[in-house]
Amino acid sequence: MSLFPKDIHLYMNGEVPFRNNTNIEEIHEYLFVYKNFLKQETINKYTEILNSFSEEQWNYENADGYWAGKVSPEIIEEDIHQPILDLISPIFETYKIKNFYRLTEGQFAELQKPDQYYGENGQRIIGHYKIALYLGEFEGGEICFPDIEFKYKPNPGDLILFKIHPFLDHFTKPVLSGNRYVYADLAIYNLRHFMP
């Protein structure tokens, strides 16, 4: 007998609330692209804010190592969080990350293996889908999933959702010009939906 009144195993095996959304293109069983997800006024609002930050502001909380100079102050509000939550609920919820990440000309991201994440108190976070929402005018900077031979050049306002799984490890090609901004968050199970 299951502890859950609804069959969580359906969702663990790939059923997702956004699979049948007519605005979403299913690239792979576990990878989805939603073009023009954000309203133009929201794109304009955040692009203007992000473009106005000084280099000092991009070193939010004195990030070091790879992330030095790449993390914005906390600026993301409900006009981004709520549409994403509407898309993935009631099965999933997010952490509501409030920062954007920036890659500038010549910068890239090496192969990412998003299998484990840790919260502020060191607790392990079990993420099921990665959420990436893009802003900025840039050339290059394609996100690549080598195991499924998929490469995508995001446009401002595009959203990508992909399952956290070894065959969806990914990297970002070098940005050739401009600024590539991305909001990145995790979709985790909303246990309130499954509990009695």
Side-chain angles (χ1 to χ4, degrees):
M1 180 176 161
S2 174
L3 295 175
F4 300 101
K6 300 173 185 175
D7 194 351
I8 194 171
H9 303 291
L10 285 175
Y11 303 103
M12 292 179 75
N13 291 322
E15 289 303 316
V16 289
F18 45 81
R19 184 180 298 281
N20 296 320
N21 186 310
T22 57
N23 296 307
I24 289 182
E25 181 181 359
E26 184 172 336
I27 305 300
H28 179 274
E29 183 181 6
Y30 298 128
L31 186 138
F32 305 86
V33 173
Y34 191 141
K35 295 180 180 178
N36 304 308
F37 176 75
L38 280 186
K39 295 178 180 176
Q40 190 61 49
E41 63 191 54
T42 308
I43 293 172
N44 294 344
K45 168 188 167 181
Y46 284 98
T47 302
E48 184 176 339
I49 294 170
L50 291 164
N51 286 339
S52 73
F53 287 146
S54 67
E55 288 304 312
E56 185 176 285
Q57 288 173 295
W58 274 105
N59 203 26
Y60 178 70
E61 291 189 343
N62 296 315
D64 57 11
Y66 174 78
W67 294 110
K70 296 180 176 76
V71 184
S72 80
E74 294 184 345
I75 60 169
I76 299 174
E77 300 175 345
E78 289 306 300
D79 52 358
I80 286 180
H81 288 142
Q82 192 59 51
I84 292 174
L85 192 58
D86 292 343
L87 179 67
I88 66 172
S89 66
I91 307 306
F92 298 108
E93 59 185 347
T94 71
Y95 279 91
K96 292 191 174 181
I97 303 294
K98 295 186 177 181
N99 315 84
F100 279 94
Y101 302 89
R102 177 187 69 166
L103 292 179
T104 61
E105 185 175 337
Q107 293 181 328
F108 60 94
E110 295 180 351
L111 192 68
Q112 305 289 307
K113 296 179 173 288
D115 56 351
Q116 292 188 35
Y117 296 91
Y118 294 90
E120 292 179 2
N121 299 321
Q123 78 277 18
R124 185 172 177 207
I125 298 168
I126 299 176
H128 296 281
Y129 275 82
K130 186 79 177 274
I131 301 163
L133 176 63
Y134 298 89
L135 291 179
E137 296 292 339
F138 57 94
E139 295 298 324
E142 298 92 344
I143 184 169
C144 301
F145 297 84
D147 288 346
I148 62 169
E149 299 180 352
F150 177 67
K151 175 176 71 173
Y152 184 69
K153 165 59 172 72
N155 291 311
D158 287 357
L159 181 78
I160 295 180
L161 303 110
F162 56 94
K163 191 170 181 67
I164 295 171
H165 194 283
F167 64 70
L168 290 175
D169 291 348
H170 56 285
F171 66 92
T172 302
K173 289 195 165 189
V175 173
L176 302 177
S177 64
N179 291 315
R180 179 188 191 270
Y181 305 123
V182 62
Y183 157 78
D185 208 338
L186 296 176
I188 62 170
Y189 283 130
N190 176 9
L191 294 182
R192 292 184 298 271
H193 173 72
F194 295 101
M195 295 299 286

